[in-house]
Amino acid sequence: MTTQFEPVIGLEIHVQLASKTKLFCSCPNGVGDETKPNTAICPRCTGQPGVLPVLTEGAVELAVKAGLALGCQVNEYSTFSRKHYFYPDLPKGYQITQYDKPINGAGSIEITFGPKENLQKKNIGIHHAHLEEDASKSSHFDGYSLIDFNRSGCPLLEIVSMPDLRSPDEAYAYLTEIKRLMKWVDASNCDMEKGELRVDVNVSLRPVGQEKFGTRCEIKNLNSFKAVKDALHYEITRQTELLNAGGHVVQETRLWDKEKNITRPMRSKEDALDYRYFPEPDLPPLVLKHDWLERVKVQMPELPAQKEAKFMAAGLNAYDAGVLTSSLDIARYFEEVTANKAISVKTASNWIQTDLLGMLNAEKKEIAQSPISAPVLAEILEMVESGKITRRQGREVFDKIWANGGSPKAIVEASGMVQVSDEGQLEAWAQEAIAAAPKAVADYKKGNKAAIGALVGAVMRKSKGKANPALLSKTLARLLDK
Ligand code: ADP
Ligand code: MG
Ligand code: ZN
């Protein structure tokens, strides 16, 4: 008999903080350009004998902002420790990290997952989030290796979740939310191609109904959301088969082989003891001054959850509110457009999601680089909402400005775009269309109401898209139902 198992998942995420300098020296942070190896280095971040670390304020501030976004208890008192291991990319032989007293204590975030029509929400606990320095980067070639120290000493925030996730989809949603929050408060750019967000996945199984957790494996250093999902699926299947065959999961660290789509054992799990953690003697405890902390808190933007709630109160559904808060820039754009009360939130939401984000995605642009600013879109939408121009004409104006710039009102005037709402004119066009399409008329009279579409289309072509669609449909129906 096979047992039903439930996965238990916890993630450790490293995000590179977007501060100007490294964590313990004034070298520039984030010089990842492979054509410029070892250009952003100094005696401190290359671990020369006799140098001392000096904590930089920028990274601390971003760590606090990140902690506040994660709902963490920010600790006014935290400390640094040394974590020892030997590797050529770690010249000091230890990494400076936070161990027993991290800057951010427990917190929690809400994730959203499941199908669009039936979104589910769940709270996931954050165990803590601590500061640490990054190691350098080695590249291995045939017979030799090269080391680039540009990354050495760059500031990382390690965000450790509680084992609250129960499926690969929940893990994916958690990652999405962490990335949204970190970018929202400008703590990190989270560019995964540049290695600015790296994930270690912990996963175990337990029989459904059992409270006690099973033995876990840790899969290290995943650098895409897809790899996280794929590795979890693989590992859940592997552990299920192992347990059902009467075997035991060995606690170990595994690697994801993305060519073969499998995980492979790397080493047996190391213990805290193996790292010989001890307090960093060269750094005093990090004490956040109360006034400083208050200043950082005051500068925090409204968080996505609050914005989503506001947007839903204004009439959007959960899915639309989620899309329009996928970044702070998008949310602000939406707010700017809907500040014009002549525009409904639904209209603004449709245009931003379909037209604006559609074009931006197609051209791989961020909203900050949009050729159509929020006031310009608002001007177009105001004309559409008031019936001055049709939606289709609105889109034409949008496309013209996208390509060549200009003002919506001027374009509408210059191209003679107006919507025809004149009853007499609409009726004349309608009668012409009815006379030209006896088959559609007969179908309609037999009860096929959709046949009216052909007549609407004919008038639209005749009027070059200028006929007011709502009034036209009414006029046609009136004439046909006579
Ligand atoms: P370590 O210090 O060895 O890395 P932690 O106890 O700090 O271990 O946990 C690391 C991560 O593993 C956390 O995200 C936690 O939620 C997760 N985790 C702990 N126990 C389990 C388990 N039995 N199954 C799955 N994940 C777990
Ligand atoms: Mg770990
Ligand atoms: Zn340096």
Side-chain angles (χ1 to χ4, degrees), residues 269-437:
K269 174 85 182 117
E270 60 291 303
D271 252 317
L273 271 180
D274 299 332
Y275 288 125
R276 251 180 352 105
Y277 279 100
F278 65 72
E280 167 60 67
D282 292 338
L283 282 167
L286 167 54
V287 180
L288 306 178
K289 290 211 182 76
H290 190 74
D291 292 353
W292 182 90
L293 190 53
E294 287 308 308
R295 223 170 35 247
V296 175
K297 283 184 183 167
V298 168
Q299 287 165 10
M300 287 286 285
E302 195 174 27
L303 291 173
Q306 296 159 267
K307 281 246 193 289
E308 261 184 80
K310 261 195 190 169
F311 291 179
M312 288 176 71
L316 294 185
N317 64 33
Y319 177 82
D320 291 343
V323 175
L324 292 169
T325 54
S326 50
S327 81
L328 182 55
D329 284 344
I330 293 175
R332 288 195 169 145
Y333 192 104
F334 173 75
E335 287 177 323
E336 219 181 317
V337 172
T338 50
N340 182 332
K341 291 300 162 211
I343 302 165
S344 78
V345 291
K346 198 69 205 163
T347 300
S349 161
N350 281 340
W351 277 77
I352 292 174
Q353 287 188 59
T354 315
D355 302 84
L356 184 76
L357 295 180
M359 286 293 280
L360 290 170
N361 287 342
E363 298 189 3
K364 297 210 176 355
K365 284 192 172 121
E366 294 291 328
I367 199 162
Q369 308 158 293
S370 170
I372 307 253
S373 67
V376 168
L377 184 62
E379 203 179 318
I380 298 174
L381 296 191
E382 194 177 336
M383 289 190 280
V384 173
E385 291 276 71
S386 70
K388 185 161 193 266
I389 57 174
T390 63
R391 191 197 198 283
R392 229 177 72 190
Q393 289 171 327
R395 177 62 201 236
E396 250 179 75
V397 175
F398 179 100
D399 287 337
K400 281 195 170 130
I401 299 178
W402 189 280
N404 304 312
S407 116
K409 291 220 170 64
I411 289 174
V412 165
E413 271 165 36
S415 52
M417 264 182 213
V418 275
Q419 173 162 261
V420 177
S421 302
D422 176 68
E423 291 275 354
Q425 176 65 71
L426 289 175
E427 193 168 322
W429 280 331
Q431 259 152 0
E432 202 177 309
I434 286 170

Side-chain angles (χ1 to χ4, degrees), residues 150-166:
N150 285 352
R151 207 178 70 183
S152 179
C154 287
L156 299 178
L157 187 72
E158 178 171 341
I159 305 165
V160 181
S161 85
M162 298 296 285
D164 289 346
L165 300 158
R166 294 289 173 268

Side-chain angles (χ1 to χ4, degrees), residues 138-150:
S138 37
S139 313
H140 305 290
F141 301 91
D142 193 14
Y144 65 101
S145 295
L146 297 174
I147 298 187
D148 176 7
F149 287 95
N150 285 352

Side-chain angles (χ1 to χ4, degrees), residues 139-205:
S139 313
H140 305 290
F141 301 91
D142 193 14
Y144 65 101
S145 295
L146 297 174
I147 298 187
D148 176 7
F149 287 95
N150 285 352
R151 207 178 70 183
S152 179
C154 287
L156 299 178
L157 187 72
E158 178 171 341
I159 305 165
V160 181
S161 85
M162 298 296 285
D164 289 346
L165 300 158
R166 294 289 173 268
S167 69
D169 283 342
E170 288 186 20
Y172 193 95
Y174 173 78
L175 283 169
T176 306
E177 184 60 18
I178 291 285
K179 186 173 170 184
R180 170 166 82 153
L181 287 168
M182 293 304 102
K183 291 183 75 157
W184 193 277
V185 299
D186 291 325
S188 172
N189 299 318
C190 298
D191 186 334
M192 298 194 79
E193 276 167 20
K194 293 187 186 155
E196 293 173 353
L197 194 164
R198 311 191 286 266
V199 188
D200 301 340
V201 167
N202 296 271
V203 52
S204 64
L205 297 183

